[in-house]
Amino acid sequence: MILVDTGPIVAVINDRDDHHRECTYLLERLPGPLLIPATVATEVCLMLERRRGTYAELAFLSDVRAGRYTLIESLSADLDRVAELVEKYDDLPLGTVDASVIALAERLNISTVVTLDRRDFGIVRPAHVPALTLLP
């Protein structure tokens, strides 16, 4: 299982994104399931609609409906952990979406995250592993 952050999904749908080819190549070849927190799905929709319009947003929703990504809901304990992470890393600032990726990685014991945000994910130390493996 692999968690996917917002940036790579936006890059796959947005063919004008600098990381489009790299992310498309990677996400097409990774073994599934490709998990995304509900917070990531919301952020992807907002970014795609803003940058490329409704049809880009609909393309993402089609990918989710087709099973390319599996949505993972946060539990109350995840939200507690998100708040802890946001507070602990307030100098980054980490933000709720990135913290939700980390909280779910911890709960599901996942060590690999597909993200373009190497700065934040490279600094944060999750509770279950010394560091996350970041792709690409």
Side-chain angles (χ1 to χ4, degrees):
M1 291 187 296
I2 295 173
L3 277 165
V4 184
D5 188 27
T6 304
I9 298 169
V10 170
V12 167
I13 302 290
N14 182 2
D15 60 358
R16 296 179 189 164
D17 190 287
D18 292 341
H19 301 281
H20 173 74
R21 283 187 177 174
E22 173 185 34
C23 290
T24 300
Y25 181 85
L26 176 65
L27 290 177
E28 286 177 351
R29 285 158 182 76
L30 284 175
L34 299 176
L35 306 177
I36 57 172
T39 53
V40 165
T42 300
E43 188 174 55
V44 167
C45 287
L46 290 169
M47 290 179 79
L48 285 172
E49 199 282 325
R50 199 175 311 138
R51 293 179 184 179
R52 295 301 308 269
T54 301
Y55 289 108
E57 182 181 3
L58 288 169
F60 165 68
L61 294 173
S62 291
D63 284 346
V64 174
R65 291 175 66 210
R68 182 172 190 182
Y69 305 105
T70 301
L71 285 174
I72 303 295
E73 293 296 326
S74 294
L75 305 177
S76 293
D78 297 328
L79 296 177
D80 292 341
R81 181 62 175 146
V82 166
E84 288 174 15
L85 289 165
V86 168
E87 182 176 17
K88 180 176 181 176
Y89 295 97
D90 67 335
D91 56 325
L92 288 179
L94 182 61
T96 299
V97 176
D98 289 350
S100 72
V101 172
I102 294 162
L104 284 173
E106 291 173 348
R107 175 166 56 93
L108 300 173
N109 197 31
I110 296 172
S111 60
T112 302
V113 174
V114 180
T115 184
L116 298 174
D117 186 357
R118 295 197 166 271
R119 182 190 71 132
D120 290 355
F121 285 97
I123 291 171
V124 173
R125 295 294 164 238
H128 67 303
V129 292
L132 294 168
T133 301
L134 305 178
L135 301 176

